[in-house]
Amino acid sequence: MSDYSYSRNEKLKKQKIIDTLFQKRKSVNAFPVKAFFAFPEEKMDNELKAGVGTSKRNFKKAVHRNRVTRLLREAWRLNKQELKTLLESNQQQMIVFLHYSDRELPSFELVNSKVQIL
């Protein structure tokens, strides 16, 4: 059951790591979810760190932004295990940021299917 957690040390929090992500980023798009990713050179405490978000421009109400963020986190939590095992076998580290870019509130099925594609 612990394989499906999204613990504190898996969350993208440090400003230095976030800056690295957005400087050296590559992206993959499965509309309306876009994934930015990078492979950092410095050693991290975990092989896979992730963050999620959406823009205030698309969702004016914080309730809606929180809902989309919650859906993204849940989809990531359920689908990260395959990527994590691949990184462990190759002894690599990865930073991922999932961004929702549509203006309409999504269903969980839509977000989950797009995260699986990514």
Side-chain angles (χ1 to χ4, degrees):
M1 196 70 160
S2 65
D3 295 336
Y4 293 106
S5 67
Y6 185 49
S7 64
R8 176 178 234 161
N9 63 351
E10 294 175 338
K11 294 180 183 175
L12 190 57
K13 291 186 175 191
K14 292 185 179 177
Q15 189 63 42
K16 185 177 178 183
I17 296 175
I18 294 171
D19 291 340
T20 302
L21 170 65
F22 286 108
Q23 287 173 358
K24 300 179 180 184
R25 71 176 178 214
K26 297 175 185 162
S27 65
V28 180
N29 196 7
F31 187 80
V33 179
K34 188 171 190 175
F36 300 102
F37 64 95
F39 299 98
E41 292 88 21
E42 65 269 358
K43 182 74 174 153
M44 296 188 304
D45 56 347
N46 201 355
E47 67 273 347
L48 182 61
K49 288 195 176 276
V52 295
T54 188
S55 70
K56 191 173 182 178
R57 182 174 35 161
N58 292 343
F59 296 101
K60 301 294 183 201
K61 296 183 178 181
V63 173
H64 295 160
R65 286 193 304 275
N66 292 342
R67 169 81 177 154
V68 172
T69 305
R70 199 174 315 120
L71 291 174
L72 283 170
R73 261 196 324 262
E74 183 68 10
W76 173 255
R77 185 184 70 80
L78 294 174
N79 296 303
K80 70 176 179 179
Q81 194 58 38
E82 185 177 333
L83 179 60
K84 196 171 186 177
T85 56
L86 181 66
L87 289 172
E88 285 174 355
S89 66
N90 293 336
Q91 296 179 347
Q92 290 183 322
Q93 295 178 334
M94 187 179 208
I95 308 167
V96 179
F97 187 84
L98 299 175
H99 181 263
Y100 186 82
S101 58
D102 199 8
R103 291 179 181 261
E104 299 191 13
L105 283 173
S107 65
F108 176 71
E109 291 78 22
L110 172 72
V111 173
N112 194 29
S113 67
K114 298 302 179 175
V115 170
Q116 285 176 352
I117 291 170
L118 295 175

